Amino acid sequence: MRAGYTTNAGKYLDRVGEFLRRRPVEHSVLLNAAATRIGEDVAGPGPNHWFWVEDGEDVVATAQHTPPHGVYLSTGPPEAMRIFAATLWRLYPELPGVTGLGKAAHEFAAEWSRLGGPHATPGMRQGLYAAEEVNIPFGIAGRFRPACDADAPMLCDWLDHFVTEAGLASRAKNEVASRIDAGQLFVWEAGNVVVSMAAITVAQGGVSRVQLVYTPPQHRGRGFASACVAGLTARELTTPGRTCMLNTDLSNPTSNGIYQAIGYRRVG
């Protein structure tokens, strides 16, 4: 096996797109991150790097590093994850972390530590869920609608709270405006008050990813998030062949229960 990499997202997708689309649910983050960065060599404090491992002529694993984030791994054999670790060790020895499916992140982290990096500590266990049909909850007051410009100031504030509660890296304020303009941010409105939000990515490989699901504390426990996510999922699934997916923090039984109740099944 041997590694290849580029700083050009378009060239990366040309090389690995077929491999990633064989499992588009598991590889949704990789597909979407690369597609949204085509034409950009730099988006952050350093260059984006796009990696793959070949076995003969076949791609068997891919990875991405988009600073300031850690590396994100595809599915693939353990040897490929060790090759990624050795390659990243030379390019970016201060790497802050790694995310991957199954045991991929563990294989990478073990090799990273063996090369001289610090001991790796698990930060979050996430569930990967997918839905091809949806159960709309009944009896939830309000309506589902696209977010509009008038919602933006409040939703920007919600984004800050979402990031803090989830323990994630900060996100750009203009993300709300750009998603509204692109028709990718939606809300649940009850009694003329916006009470919950959820976003969707552009479909890649037939898979749309639900993101940024947030309900302020004062509106929780009334089914608003369930209704908002179910409405958004139903909207996406009107496209023939479409699948929706999302990630959850497995330490949060409430969110995991909500998504399963409306039709999402855990796949990884």
Side-chain angles (χ1 to χ4, degrees):
M1 292 186 184
R2 64 184 183 276
Y5 71 89
T6 180
T7 59
N8 185 299
K11 290 180 180 179
Y12 165 77
L13 283 177
D14 287 344
R15 182 69 186 94
V16 309
E18 181 180 353
F19 166 80
L20 291 175
R21 291 185 184 96
R22 290 176 196 154
R23 300 179 68 174
V25 171
E26 291 91 335
H27 295 150
S28 174
V29 172
L30 289 154
L31 282 164
N32 193 261
T36 57
R37 289 173 172 83
I38 290 176
E40 298 179 5
D41 282 343
V42 176
N48 298 320
H49 282 94
W50 312 92
F51 303 87
W52 60 90
V53 168
E54 301 168 346
D55 188 354
E57 296 299 317
D58 297 325
V59 173
V60 296
T62 79
Q64 67 181 37
H65 178 225
T66 55
H69 307 292
V71 65
Y72 198 106
L73 306 169
S74 75
T75 57
E79 182 181 349
M81 305 308 152
R82 293 191 289 270
I83 290 172
F84 285 142
T87 304
L88 266 295
W89 179 257
R90 294 191 297 271
L91 292 171
Y92 202 84
E94 64 273 28
L95 190 73
V98 58
T99 300
L101 292 141
K103 295 187 179 299
H106 295 280
E107 296 286 353
F108 181 103
E111 181 67 9
W112 189 268
S113 297
R114 190 192 69 78
L115 291 167
H119 175 70
T121 302
M124 179 186 289
R125 293 183 64 243
Q126 292 187 321
L128 175 64
Y129 288 83
E132 295 175 350
E133 57 185 25
V134 64
N135 304 316
I136 302 295
F138 293 101
I140 308 300
R143 67 186 182 104
F144 173 77
R145 66 166 174 82
C148 64
D149 290 341
D151 301 318
M154 180 177 64
L155 299 186
C156 283
D157 185 56
W158 287 11
L159 181 63
D160 287 340
H161 289 292
F162 169 83
V163 166
T164 299
E165 291 185 20
L168 303 173
S170 62
R171 305 178 77 116
K173 288 288 189 180
N174 62 3
E175 180 174 354
V176 167
S178 63
R179 285 179 182 265
I180 290 174
D181 290 344
Q184 296 173 349
L185 189 58
F186 296 82
V187 298
W188 188 264
E189 183 180 79
N192 295 319
V193 176
V194 175
V195 294
S196 190
M197 75 172 182
I200 197 75
T201 64
V202 174
Q204 300 292 338
V207 177
S208 303
R209 190 165 80 258
V210 177
Q211 298 179 306
L212 306 183
V213 179
Y214 183 77
T215 303
Q218 68 271 25
H219 297 308
R220 293 175 187 172
R222 305 182 203 177
F224 296 142
S226 296
C228 190
V229 173
L232 180 52
T233 303
R235 175 186 178 277
E236 289 297 304
L237 294 183
T238 58
T239 300
R242 182 65 50 84
T243 298
C244 283
M245 60 83 62
L246 51 80
N247 291 99
T248 67
D249 178 354
L250 287 177
S251 69
N252 185 337
T254 299
S255 63
N256 285 268
I258 284 173
Y259 298 133
Q260 291 178 76
I262 61 176
Y264 281 85
R265 70 190 191 283
R266 184 172 163 185
V267 297

